[in-house]
Amino acid sequence: MKRTIVMMMGILSVGCQKSETVTNGFTVKENPSLIDPKNPLNKLTYANQIDFYCKMDITKFGVSDTVTYQGKLYGFCAPVCKEEFIKNPEMYLAKK
């Protein structure tokens, strides 16, 4: 019994140090160093700070794809998020 309690406490303490976000089925580990300084897309200025589809903070996790819509540049964490935005941009912008 004592061994089980000790094991559970160890697992919980390790698990508590991990911080993950699950959004729309995507799991993202919280880590401020995820932004690749060599990625030129991370140096641009975007009209959004949050990916419209998966709700990921692109200022914290970086950008892997972009789209210009009505003269504004929008950043996305993944091509699938960009593709969903393109299907109905007005819907996503109305929620903004």
Side-chain angles (χ1 to χ4, degrees):
M1 180 72 168
K2 200 176 203 181
R3 185 180 290 183
T4 304
I5 293 172
V6 171
M7 283 180 58
M8 291 300 290
M9 289 180 67
I11 291 170
L12 289 174
S13 68
V14 171
C16 292
Q17 292 174 358
K18 286 185 177 180
S19 180
E20 295 181 343
T21 303
V22 178
T23 308
N24 288 348
F26 297 101
T27 301
V28 179
K29 292 182 180 181
E30 300 282 344
N31 184 346
S33 66
L34 288 177
I35 294 181
D36 181 5
K38 296 177 187 174
N39 182 353
L41 294 178
N42 291 328
K43 296 176 183 166
L44 300 175
T45 302
Y46 299 99
N48 62 314
Q49 294 182 345
I50 305 294
D51 187 309
F52 291 105
Y53 181 67
C54 72
K55 308 296 186 226
M56 183 182 296
D57 185 342
I58 62 170
T59 63
K60 188 173 183 180
F61 297 106
V63 174
S64 70
D65 212 340
T66 65
V67 68
T68 301
Y69 180 74
Q70 293 185 340
K72 294 184 179 179
L73 182 64
Y74 296 97
F76 299 91
C77 70
V80 67
C81 295
K82 173 186 156 182
E83 291 167 13
E84 289 298 320
F85 174 81
I86 290 171
K87 288 178 185 177
N88 194 353
E90 291 301 322
M91 177 187 74
Y92 289 105
L93 292 173
K95 292 179 183 178
K96 186 178 174 183

